[in-house]
Amino acid sequence: MKRTNGIGPAVDAPSYEASEDIPTNTSDNPTMGDIIARRYGRRDVLRGALAVTAMTAVSGTALLSGQKQASATTNGFDFAEIDFNIGDNIVVAEGYKGQVFLPWGTPLTPDAPAFDPMNQTAAAQVQQVGYNHDFIGYVGLPYGSDNPDHGILMVNHEYTNEELMFPGDLGRQDRAEPPFKDMTAELVDIEMAAHGGTVAEIRKSNGAWELVVDSPYNRRVTALDTQMTLSGPVAGHDRVKTSADAAGTTVIGTINNCAGGVTPWGTYLMAEENFHGYFMGELAEGHPEATNHQRYGVPGGWYAWGQYHKRFDVSQEPNEPNRFGWVVEVDVFDRDSKPVKRTALGRFKHEGAESIVNSDGRVVVYMGDDQRFDYVYKFVSEGKFNPDDREANRDLLDSGTLYVARFDEGGSVAWIPLVFGEGPLTAENGFASQADVLIETRRAADLLGATPMDRPEDVEPNPVTNKVYIALTNNTRREAEQVNVANPRGPNPHGHIIEMTPPNGDHAAATSEWDILVQCGRMDVAEDGATFNAKTTINGQFGDPDNVAIDPKGRLWVSTDGNSPGGDLGRNDGVWAMETEGEARGTSTHFFSVPVGAEMCGPRFAPDGRTLFLAIQHPAEGSSYSEPSTRFPDFDANMPVRPAVVIVTKEDGGEIGS
Ligand code: FEO
Ligand code: CA
Ligand code: CA
Ligand code: CA
C-alpha cells in the first residue's frame, strides 16, 4: 500500500506492499552516517544539506578515477514527452500505441473456462491468467533465437486484492486482525491460484500481438497446486522439513512473485518477495525459529490462508516460512517441468534476479532485498555458462557464492561473501552450516556489516555498457542521523538510482565503483533534494523508482510505484526514459502512464526494441469492487477492474524511443 503523503511519515495501514512494513533490521551496522557527520559536520546533516555535499564528493571521486568523461553525447531518445496523468486509463507517447494483453482471467488453454467474475472458482483460476502482473520476461522461439515476433512471455502475479476481485466489497480492514470473517475456503483457494506466474506463447501478427491458445508451452505456476523442488545447500535440511514433507525437498507453490529474471539459458526466475505476509499464528514460547522469523517479519498476518491451509499457520508448521523467500527457476520450454527453488541465491524478500554472463563465463545474478534498511546482493556461479549445451546449465544456480554489498566512501563497493565458517558466520553466532547461513541470509549480512539501503528493488546489469543500475524506491523511516554515503537523504520519500561500474566490466570482482545517477523527487521543492539534470521538465520528474529495463541500444528505462494523485509527485505512476551519458546524464522524459491506483511493472523489450511489454499492477487500489476508481481495461460496468499486460509499439513499427 502506498503512502498517502509524499513528505510525511508512512501510513501504517494493513498493507499488501509488505516492504512498507516496519523495518526488521535492528543491527547497528555503521551506516557511514557517523563518518559523514564527522566529515561534513552534524549541522549540515540535520539541515539536509548533506545530500548535495555527499553527491559532490562522490562525483568528484568518480571523475578523478576517470570513470566519467564529460561529453556532449546523449542516449538519443526521440519522442514527445507525455503530460501529467491522473486519469483512469493509460497514456502513451504520441506516435505509439498500447495494446491490452492477458488481463486477469484470460483463459490460457483451449479447455480453460471463460472469465466469469461473478462465479469465479479456483478450478477456473488455475487455468487462467493470474492477478497483479509484475515481472515480465520474454524469450524468442525457437530456443536460442532472438525472434522478436514470436516467443514465450513470462508474467509474475505478485499478490491479490480481494476487495477489488470479489463481489461483496470484502473489507481490507478485515485483514488487520485474523480471523478473516469474509474469506471462505474457496475464496482463499482462488487467491492462491491467482498468485504465481503465467507462461504464454505469443506472436505478432499484422502489428498486434496474440496469445497462441493451443501452445504446448502455456502453463500457470501457482501457490495452490504447483509442486516445486528445493535444491542447493538448504535442500533436505531439518529446518525446511514439515509434516507434509519429511524429506525437506518438496514445496507446494510460490508466493509474492514480484520481479524476476530470464537466465542466459532461457529459464524464468521468479523472485519470492513479501512471503511473511501469508503466515499467521504464533510460535510456541522460546521456539528456536523465533529470531529468524522476527528478522523477516513472520508472521505478517495479511491473508486468511492459514485458516484453511495449516502450513501457513506457524503455530502448526513453524518451518514452513523457511521454504519461502527464495528464487524459483522455471523451465518455460517444458510445461511438465517442476520449478526449482534455488537456495544458493539466499533467502530474503527477493525483488528480482536479473543475470549476466561474466567475461569468464560465470553467471552473475544481481538481487535486492526490498525492505527498508535491507541489502543489495549478487550471486556468482561456480560453473560457467555453456551456450552450446542447454542441459549443462540446468543446475548452475545451485553452486556458487552469494555476496552482500557494502558501499564505502570514495565510490567503492565491497562485495562481502556469505560463506559458512568465514568471519562471524560460525557456530558462535548460531550458524552450523551453509544451509543456516542461507536460511538466515539477512542475519548473516547484518553480521558482515552490509550497508542498509532505501528499499532495493530492481538491480539490473546493462549488457551493452556493463554498468549496473539499482532502484532504491524510498525510505520514509530513515532518520537524518541514519544516512550513509549511498543513501544520503533521511527521510527519503522519493528514492534514488545508483549506478555501479564493475572494474574492467568484471561482474564477479570483489569490488565495484558506484555513483548516484539521480535522486528522485521534485526539483522545485528544495527539501526533496532532487538531482535530475536541469533539462528535466516537471513531467519528467518522478519518485519511487521500482523496476528498470535496458533496451537493445543499452538505454535505461525506469518504472515507478508510488507517484499517486494526492501523494508522491501528484500523478499516476509510469515509465520514464533516463539519459545516462554525457552532459544529458540524469535527464528524464515521461513516456507512459498507468491508470489511477496502479503501479508500473514489468518493463521488458523484445530483442529488436520494437515492442515494450509493460505490466499494470493493482489498478484502482484504494477503492472497492462496487466502486472502483477505474474499470480498466474493459470499462464495462459488469466487469471488475483487471490488472493486465500492456504492449507498446510504435505506430510506424519502428524502435521504441528510436
Ligand atoms: Fe513487490 Fe518490491 O515490489
Ligand atoms: Ca517491485
Ligand atoms: Ca528489470
Ligand atoms: Ca514497489
Side-chain angles (χ1 to χ4, degrees):
M1 188 176 184
K2 292 185 276 280
R3 283 170 293 108
T4 56
N5 177 331
I7 308 296
V11 177
D12 285 321
S15 171
Y16 291 92
E17 185 72 38
S19 31
E20 292 287 342
D21 266 9
I22 295 164
T24 63
N25 186 353
T26 55
S27 67
D28 56 357
N29 286 353
T31 60
M32 301 293 160
D34 296 344
I35 297 168
I36 291 176
R38 276 202 304 277
R39 182 165 160 185
Y40 300 109
R42 191 153 199 88
R43 204 164 46 87
D44 284 348
V45 174
L46 294 176
R47 219 174 46 207
L50 171 76
V52 175
T53 320
M55 268 296 290
T56 309
V58 170
S59 301
T61 309
L63 281 170
L64 282 176
S65 71
Q67 180 189 356
K68 260 187 345 196
Q69 308 266 329
S71 83
T73 59
T74 72
N75 299 105
F77 296 107
D78 181 18
F79 63 87
E81 180 160 65
I82 64 167
D83 206 354
F84 211 84
N85 174 38
I86 56 171
D88 64 355
N89 206 349
I90 59 170
V91 175
V92 61
E94 202 181 323
Y96 293 82
K97 57 188 177 187
Q99 176 192 353
V100 172
F101 199 64
L102 302 183
W104 168 45
T106 304
L108 259 186
T109 58
D111 300 335
F115 181 55
D116 179 358
M118 301 302 286
N119 299 288
Q120 180 65 319
T121 64
Q125 182 65 75
V126 294
Q127 303 174 70
Q128 300 166 338
V129 172
Y131 204 79
N132 273 346
H133 308 39
D134 197 309
F135 171 81
I136 297 180
Y138 176 92
V139 285
L141 281 169
Y143 171 72
S145 78
D146 264 346
N147 192 340
D149 299 328
H150 181 198
I152 299 176
L153 199 73
M154 311 150 208
V155 183
N156 275 357
H157 301 294
E158 188 181 19
Y159 66 92
T160 47
N161 291 73
E162 62 263 40
E163 79 283 11
L164 296 170
M165 293 173 73
F166 303 126
D169 289 346
L170 309 184
R172 170 175 295 187
Q173 299 314 317
D174 190 48
R175 71 171 52 217
E177 269 183 50
F180 303 90
K181 295 182 289 294
D182 291 340
M183 292 304 293
T184 63
E186 180 67 12
L187 290 179
V188 163
D189 285 0
I190 294 169
E191 285 193 308
M192 292 175 71
H195 276 67
T198 290
V199 177
E201 181 179 343
I202 62 171
R203 71 180 159 221
K204 206 178 190 178
S205 168
N206 297 323
W209 285 84
E210 61 188 25
L211 170 69
V212 180
V213 178
D214 58 357
S215 164
Y217 303 114
N218 295 359
R219 75 182 286 188
R220 282 296 320 283
V221 172
T222 79
L224 182 68
D225 65 351
T226 308
Q227 282 217 350
M228 315 208 160
T229 302
L230 211 48
S231 80
V234 173
H237 192 276
D238 283 348
R239 296 176 72 182
V240 291
K241 291 176 180 168
T242 64
S243 58
D245 177 28
T249 53
T250 306
V251 182
I252 299 171
T254 179
I255 46 180
N256 212 266
N257 305 96
C258 191
V262 179
T263 64
W265 51 98
T267 60
Y268 166 24
L269 298 181
M270 308 172 71
E272 296 187 324
E273 194 188 25
N274 298 310
F275 63 92
H276 69 295
Y278 299 80
F279 293 91
M280 59 167 59
E282 270 179 51
L283 283 181
E285 180 126 3
H287 195 282
E289 293 294 346
T291 304
N292 171 30
H293 288 354
Q294 192 171 26
R295 183 65 177 86
Y296 292 96
V298 172
W302 297 354
Y303 286 91
W305 299 9
Q307 285 177 192
Y308 305 105
H309 297 268
K310 72 169 188 174
R311 65 196 180 102
F312 292 106
D313 179 344
V314 296
S315 70
Q316 301 191 58
E317 291 291 352
N319 286 345
E320 189 72 16
N322 291 341
R323 293 145 61 86
F324 293 90
W326 305 107
V327 170
V328 181
E329 183 173 11
V330 182
D331 184 356
V332 297
F333 290 92
D334 178 3
R335 173 156 68 183
D336 299 323
S337 64
K338 212 165 157 181
V340 182
K341 298 199 177 193
R342 301 287 181 190
T343 64
L345 276 62
R347 176 171 171 265
F348 43 91
K349 294 180 185 174
H350 281 280
E351 169 72 21
E354 298 280 12
S355 59
I356 191 162
V357 179
N358 200 38
S359 50
D360 61 7
R362 287 184 289 171
V363 176
V364 179
V365 186
Y366 286 99
M367 301 174 285
D369 181 353
D370 180 11
Q371 185 150 0
R372 295 181 179 100
F373 304 106
D374 265 290
Y375 308 131
V376 171
Y377 297 85
K378 74 174 178 186
F379 171 83
V380 181
S381 69
E382 187 183 310
K384 295 180 177 179
F385 170 60
N386 183 339
D388 304 318
D389 180 3
R390 184 163 189 256
E391 192 59 29
N393 305 308
R394 182 161 300 280
D395 294 320
L396 264 187
L397 300 184
D398 277 346
S399 306
T401 306
L402 182 65
Y403 297 85
V404 68
R406 192 189 68 219
F407 291 80
D408 292 336
E409 266 194 296
S412 71
V413 179
W415 288 106
I416 311 169
L418 283 83
V419 176
F420 169 67
E422 287 188 13
L425 307 184
T426 59
E428 199 171 283
N429 286 311
F431 300 102
S433 65
Q434 184 65 16
D436 282 336
V437 169
L438 293 168
I439 290 169
E440 295 188 74
T441 300
R442 281 184 168 181
R443 192 168 67 84
D446 294 343
L447 291 164
L448 292 168
T451 301
M453 309 297 286
D454 289 343
R455 296 187 51 200
E457 302 251 27
D458 227 350
V459 186
E460 185 103 12
N462 182 333
V464 177
T465 64
N466 268 325
K467 291 180 187 288
V468 180
Y469 294 92
I470 308 171
L472 286 316
T473 198
N474 58 53
N475 184 350
T476 49
R477 294 192 193 219
R478 190 181 289 279
E479 306 282 346
E481 56 273 16
Q482 291 177 299
V483 299
N484 59 51
V485 286
N487 302 271
R489 289 181 293 181
N492 177 12
H494 310 298
H496 56 292
I497 299 173
I498 285 178
E499 181 185 71
M500 290 192 292
T501 307
N504 305 311
D506 181 4
H507 293 275
T511 61
S512 184
E513 292 187 357
W514 69 273
D515 196 358
I516 292 179
L517 173 64
V518 67
Q519 295 183 166
C520 305
R522 274 180 62 158
M523 294 167 77
D524 60 339
V525 178
E527 69 208 74
D528 278 11
T531 61
F532 289 103
N533 190 301
K535 295 189 177 81
T536 306
T537 72
I538 185 69
N539 291 342
Q541 296 163 42
F542 62 82
D544 315 286
D546 191 330
N547 296 129
V548 305
I550 307 293
D551 70 18
K553 288 179 169 163
R555 299 178 299 185
L556 179 65
W557 300 73
V558 181
S559 72
T560 63
D561 170 18
N563 296 264
S564 55
D568 203 359
L569 280 84
R571 85 284 302 266
N572 295 352
D573 280 311
V575 175
W576 280 262
M578 175 68 74
E579 296 280 353
T580 56
E581 301 298 327
E583 286 174 2
R585 181 175 164 87
T587 308
S588 166
T589 311
H590 199 2
F591 178 73
F592 181 92
S593 179
V594 298
V596 69
E599 75 173 269
M600 181 88 271
C601 296
R604 172 74 53 179
F605 288 89
D608 63 354
R610 291 166 194 265
T611 298
L612 172 58
F613 300 100
L614 299 172
I616 308 291
Q617 185 176 121
H618 62 72
E621 191 162 83
S623 60
S624 64
Y625 185 93
S626 64
E627 290 183 70
S629 53
T630 170
R631 287 196 189 271
F632 175 87
D634 306 286
F635 296 101
D636 174 339
N638 297 313
M639 287 290 277
V641 61
R642 297 199 282 170
V645 169
V646 168
I647 303 179
V648 174
T649 52
K650 207 169 179 180
E651 279 166 3
D652 67 6
E655 274 181 76
I656 309 282
S658 51

